[in-house]
Amino acid sequence: MSDPTYTPPKVWTWDTESGGRFAKINRPIAGPTHDKELPIGKHPIQLYSLGTPNGVKVTIMLEELLAAGHTGAEYDAWLINIGEGDQFSSGYVDLNPNSKIPVMADHTTDPVTRVFESGSILIYLAEKFGAFLPSDHHKRTEAINWLMWQMGSAPYLGGGFGHFYAYAPEKYEYPINRFAMEVKRQLDVLDRNLADREYMAGDEYSIADMAIWPWYGALVKGIVYDAGEFLQVHEYKHVIRWTDQLAERDAVQRGRMVNRTFGDPSSQLRERHEASDFDTKTQDKVEG
């Protein structure tokens, strides 16, 4: 049976919600929906985020910087509930006119520097602290190549495959097939690259790994969209090896917990203001 067809009108109008899991926050205009200032903690870096793959990229980077001894990377991580529209507050829109998570404010500069888009935040932090982005010309370029690969590819995984396979109110064969094919192509790109490299950009762990792991590491372990069997992710042996290797890093484990609102309560640190919060303020302890 073929999918039902749709004839677009001459002029599109926003008459009804788009449907699906995120219908109530989807709209065709930008700007704030309500007035609310963002909280500001005591640390140099203020992060406003949620523990989605895009948010996890940045919390991994911050935890890696701290683990490497960069004390200036101390940060407050405030929870932004995108399902409730926190990203449309006036304070949030002032920092990120695109109303997506994450966004970061660097209070060591005058005036405060706003940094939005996860890839931009990773580059900003790497350059600020001189870490996790190689100084060698070719290695640096390769790391940025793969960082930009992730920024351009992940929308096909999340907004494409994830939406139509897991979140859309109805399932249709054409879009699921289209984006499943693309996601498997992307996994093959990664697998071929990691066949003879320890990390994405070569022999150095970098922001490219931090950007790709939360999306494609979770995918290849069958965690996101409950699609492991459907996509036959076990085929991508080199991606699995790399995924498991990064998952053993203490900073990756901590970064994955920050602003997390799902899963085992012991894995959720909904806000992070001190390193000790990992021991005292995970959700199992808050609820207990």
Side-chain angles (χ1 to χ4, degrees):
M1 181 181 296
S2 62
D3 295 338
T5 58
Y6 165 67
T7 302
K10 290 184 177 180
V11 177
W12 183 86
T13 57
W14 185 34
D15 298 323
T16 60
E17 289 186 347
S18 62
R21 179 173 170 183
F22 301 104
K24 71 177 183 178
I25 62 169
N26 291 334
R27 59 195 185 117
I29 55 175
T33 59
H34 59 285
D35 289 327
K36 185 178 180 180
E37 293 303 310
L38 292 176
I40 300 174
K42 66 180 181 179
H43 293 305
I45 300 297
Q46 298 294 301
L47 181 70
Y48 306 92
S49 191
L50 181 66
T52 66
N54 285 334
V56 168
K57 298 176 197 176
V58 176
T59 48
I60 287 175
M61 176 59 163
L62 289 165
E63 291 297 329
E64 290 282 11
L65 288 168
L66 291 171
H70 297 281
T71 57
E74 265 297 349
Y75 69 105
D76 292 277
W78 303 93
L79 181 65
I80 298 297
N81 188 332
I82 62 173
E84 297 300 319
D86 291 352
Q87 70 275 31
F88 299 118
S89 74
S90 56
Y92 196 93
V93 174
D94 283 345
L95 287 184
N96 185 355
N98 197 37
S99 293
K100 303 293 183 182
I101 63 97
V103 69
M104 188 183 80
D106 182 355
H107 287 257
T108 67
T109 65
D110 186 15
V112 172
T113 301
R114 72 177 188 181
V115 195
F116 59 90
E117 292 296 326
S118 57
S120 179
I121 297 173
L122 291 177
I123 293 173
Y124 182 91
L125 290 170
E127 292 182 338
K128 181 179 179 71
F129 294 101
F132 303 112
L133 183 59
S135 56
D136 173 82
H137 169 74
H138 292 95
K139 291 181 177 181
R140 174 187 172 88
T141 302
E142 187 70 356
I144 293 177
N145 286 343
W146 283 108
L147 172 62
M148 296 303 158
W149 177 90
Q150 187 279 319
M151 299 295 290
S153 297
Y156 291 98
L157 168 56
F161 176 76
H163 175 77
F164 287 105
Y165 183 81
Y167 299 143
E170 300 92 16
K171 287 183 168 52
Y172 294 112
E173 182 179 6
Y174 174 77
I176 291 174
N177 281 349
R178 167 67 181 87
F179 290 112
M181 177 169 54
E182 171 60 13
V183 168
K184 287 185 69 68
R185 188 194 69 81
Q186 292 175 5
L187 286 171
D188 194 41
V189 169
L190 294 177
D191 206 58
R192 290 168 184 267
N193 182 62
L194 290 165
D196 55 5
R197 290 181 170 188
E198 184 175 7
Y199 300 108
M200 285 306 309
D203 59 358
E204 294 185 45
Y205 176 57
S206 74
I207 57 175
D209 300 285
M210 299 177 202
I212 294 169
W213 184 86
W215 280 103
Y216 294 90
L219 180 67
V220 84
K221 300 298 284 189
I223 296 172
V224 294
Y225 311 128
D226 194 25
E229 182 179 7
F230 181 74
L231 294 172
Q232 294 291 278
V233 295
H234 68 275
E235 298 173 350
Y236 306 101
K237 306 292 187 185
H238 304 297
V239 183
I240 292 171
R241 184 273 308 163
W242 166 85
T243 296
D244 291 342
Q245 182 177 342
L246 265 61
E248 293 176 359
R249 298 179 68 92
D250 290 341
V252 170
Q253 294 173 20
R254 290 193 298 274
R256 187 171 176 265
M257 295 171 65
V258 178
N259 296 143
R260 185 180 176 92
T261 60
F262 56 91
D264 189 317
S266 66
S267 73
Q268 301 178 35
L269 182 61
R270 296 193 175 183
E271 289 192 355
R272 186 264 193 220
H273 303 289
E274 304 288 350
S276 60
D277 291 348
F278 290 100
D279 298 319
T280 62
K281 294 184 178 179
T282 51
Q283 200 62 19
D284 59 321
K285 297 180 175 67
V286 172
E287 293 175 351

